[in-house]
Amino acid sequence: MRHGKAPEMKDVCVVFIHGFMGNSALFAPFAEAVAARGAEVRLLTLPGHGGTLREFLRAGRREWQAHVDAELAALQAQQKTLLVVSHSMGGLLAVNAAAKRPDRIVGIFALAFPLYLRMTWVGIRIRAASACRERPGEDPRIVAARELRGVSGVTLWNAPALIPNSLGLLRLMGRTRKNLPRLVPPLAVANSIGDELVSFSRSLALVRRSLPGAQVLQLHESSHFWFCQNEEKALEKHLLHMLQSAQS
């Protein structure tokens, strides 16, 4: 930020980073809210996402991290004040990038921050059902998981091909756990007790232990991909508060 002077709103850029096999549709209400306040919005699409399974398998954790590093560095070079909003793996990439180059990043808001994963029958059911055709009256968690998939052509039969990149995700988690204590920009984390993929207790325990000053929001009704209406509004309110703080 400039010496003692609040940045112009045109200099504030909110960068959204989606997660593993995800897309930016999850951020639509949040992007609309910050754009209405006059901030610039940047929705990143990670390498291998937004296309086919074959394209996804050609990329990996190194390409994902390098892409986020380069995008943030380019915005920093433009003297933008950056507020980063992420979902799932996007939070890992954001923290790792900010740990290396924190200048001009005024905050990271990590949704479903996955420092540790967990396997649940609910998670398996949601993932399996989301790979099938939509059914009337379907669980909204399944609908969200299907709509937010950023890789096409994934079926129950070719899912084993995802193993190498899934292992890459685990390596990213390990790297982030090491980098977390070195993070300088303020971190806010919003995880759900009902998240079927992320370990709520272990992930938040490590955040509190590594960064005692981090803000922690506990969601009680939402899942990994789906946010209930009242909690989505609470997340939007918190994001707008972070945006306002970025101007001061």
Side-chain angles (χ1 to χ4, degrees):
M1 295 175 62
R2 298 187 179 95
H3 299 286
K5 183 180 179 181
E8 297 292 335
M9 180 55 91
K10 65 181 180 181
D11 292 333
V12 179
C13 181
V14 183
V15 183
F16 293 89
I17 309 173
H18 65 76
F20 184 80
M21 294 183 65
N23 63 51
S24 295
L26 177 142
F27 300 121
F30 308 119
E32 183 178 350
V34 299
R37 298 295 179 93
E40 179 182 347
V41 170
R42 184 68 62 93
L43 295 163
L44 302 190
T45 298
L46 299 176
H49 294 72
T52 64
L53 175 61
R54 178 171 294 185
E55 292 171 307
F56 177 72
L57 298 178
R58 289 175 181 163
R61 61 185 176 91
R62 291 184 178 87
E63 289 80 8
W64 302 332
Q65 189 66 67
H67 182 74
V68 171
D69 291 353
E71 289 287 334
L72 295 185
L75 291 168
Q76 289 166 325
Q78 297 171 30
Q79 300 298 303
K80 299 288 186 180
T81 297
L82 305 182
L83 175 59
V84 183
V85 184
S86 62
H87 177 253
S88 195
M89 183 185 74
L92 306 178
L93 301 172
V95 167
N96 291 336
K100 288 183 291 186
R101 187 173 175 176
D103 51 303
R104 304 196 69 83
I105 299 177
V106 295
I108 298 174
F109 191 19
L111 313 180
F113 193 40
L115 292 174
Y116 294 97
L117 300 180
R118 64 172 181 161
M119 181 176 290
T120 66
W121 285 113
V122 172
I124 294 172
R125 179 177 68 85
I126 290 174
R127 296 299 279 184
S130 70
C132 303
R133 293 182 179 178
E134 185 176 355
R135 298 178 178 180
E138 204 166 31
D139 186 331
R141 297 174 298 178
I142 296 173
V143 175
R146 183 185 296 115
E147 291 179 348
L148 295 174
R149 184 186 299 120
V151 180
S152 63
V154 179
T155 68
L156 296 177
W157 308 111
N158 61 24
L162 299 172
I163 291 175
N165 275 353
S166 298
L167 293 176
L169 170 61
L170 295 178
R171 293 189 182 98
L172 269 176
M173 291 165 55
R175 180 182 177 188
T176 308
R177 290 195 292 265
K178 293 180 180 178
N179 281 335
L180 196 60
R182 297 195 286 270
L183 185 66
V184 174
L187 174 68
V189 174
N191 280 21
S192 177
I193 293 174
D195 193 311
E196 69 276 11
L197 300 176
V198 175
S199 173
F200 173 84
S201 57
R202 295 185 71 196
S203 294
L204 292 191
L206 184 59
V207 169
R208 290 187 173 106
R209 188 165 62 249
S210 302
L211 295 170
Q215 292 181 291
V216 173
L217 287 71
Q218 299 186 19
L219 308 180
H220 297 273
E221 300 177 50
S222 301
S223 66
H224 189 73
F225 298 99
W226 173 78
F227 298 104
C228 66
Q229 186 175 18
N230 64 312
E231 291 183 337
E232 182 179 280
K233 287 297 182 183
L235 294 175
E236 180 182 312
K237 181 178 180 180
H238 190 82
L239 173 57
L240 292 177
H241 176 74
M242 293 179 71
L243 180 60
Q244 184 177 8
S245 298
Q247 299 174 261
S248 59

